[in-house]
């Protein structure tokens, strides 16, 4: 019927002598690995930034809560108490987020007179982290006893 090496129309088929290699060359492999390494470095850098920013946010929140707690404690005092005497005050050592000695926060407050029956309270909390000093300040007026 058909001749060997010929198609239906009787034309002789030519064999493709060029063989195609299967797999990747070393250059293709190096390029792919370089692209992957750059992507992994970018992801690692983003992870480091995220952890650092979360730590900074947590520290700032703790400092703000410490300043607010101190302010509220002072506002709850009687206007004639020594806690609301006019002047500048400071914790002798660093405090932690709960106000206990031994932390990274330096807390100080100032009581200013606003007439005979009221005071202005300013509380500042400072800390040093990642090579920089940061500060949170809160201020309020009080007539004592939480008012």
């Amino acid at each position: 019927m058909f001749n060997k090496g010929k198609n239906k129309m009787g034309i002789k088929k030519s064999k493709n002598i060029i063989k195609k290699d299967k797999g990747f060359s070393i250059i293709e492999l190096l390029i792919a690995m370089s692209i992957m390494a750059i992507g992994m470095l970018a992801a690692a850098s983003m992870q480091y930034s995220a952890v650092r920013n979360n730590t900074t946010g947590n520290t700032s929140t703790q400092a703000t809560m410490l300043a607010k707690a101190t302010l509220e404690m002072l506002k709850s005092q009687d206007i004639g108490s020594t806690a609301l005497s006019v002047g500048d005050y400071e914790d002798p050592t660093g405090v932690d987020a709960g106000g206990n000695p031994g932390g990274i926060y330096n807390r100080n407050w100032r009581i200013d007179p606003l007439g005979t029956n009221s005071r202005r309270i300013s509380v500042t909390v400072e800390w040093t982290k990642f090579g920089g000093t940061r500060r949170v300040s809160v201020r309020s007026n009080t007539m004592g006893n939480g008012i």
Side-chain angles (χ1 to χ4, degrees):
M1 256 188 175
F2 295 105
N3 294 333
K4 193 174 185 183
K6 294 185 179 179
N7 64 12
K8 293 180 182 180
M9 305 206 38
I11 302 172
K12 188 175 182 181
K13 292 183 192 176
S14 65
K15 290 189 176 183
N16 198 358
I17 298 176
I18 301 174
K19 265 181 136 177
K20 288 196 171 187
D21 291 332
K22 293 182 180 177
F24 299 105
S25 72
I26 191 76
I27 298 297
E28 291 170 326
L29 187 62
L30 287 173
I31 291 171
M33 286 177 58
S34 298
I35 291 171
M36 190 169 134
I38 290 170
M40 289 175 70
L41 284 173
S45 174
M46 289 186 329
Q47 182 70 21
Y48 173 75
S49 295
V51 169
R52 183 175 175 161
N53 289 337
N54 283 341
T55 301
T56 300
N58 185 37
T59 306
S60 296
T61 300
Q62 288 177 348
T64 302
M65 296 305 291
L66 178 61
K68 284 184 174 184
T70 304
L71 181 70
E72 292 301 321
M73 184 273 300
L74 290 169
K75 284 178 68 173
S76 70
Q77 302 295 316
D78 182 59
I79 196 72
S81 73
T82 57
L84 290 178
S85 297
V86 175
D88 293 323
Y89 302 92
E90 182 176 348
D91 283 324
T93 60
V95 295
D96 65 8
N100 304 312
I104 64 169
Y105 302 106
N106 297 313
R107 176 176 57 179
N108 58 63
W109 59 96
R110 180 182 180 97
I111 311 287
D112 293 315
L114 291 176
T116 57
N117 293 325
S118 60
R119 305 280 188 268
R120 171 172 287 144
I121 305 169
S122 303
V123 180
T124 302
V125 177
E126 294 180 336
W127 70 98
T128 301
K129 195 152 193 156
F130 299 126
T133 300
R134 301 182 189 273
R135 174 182 299 143
V136 171
S137 297
V138 292
R139 186 182 332 186
S140 182
N141 299 335
T142 186
M143 295 176 69
N145 297 323
I147 301 173

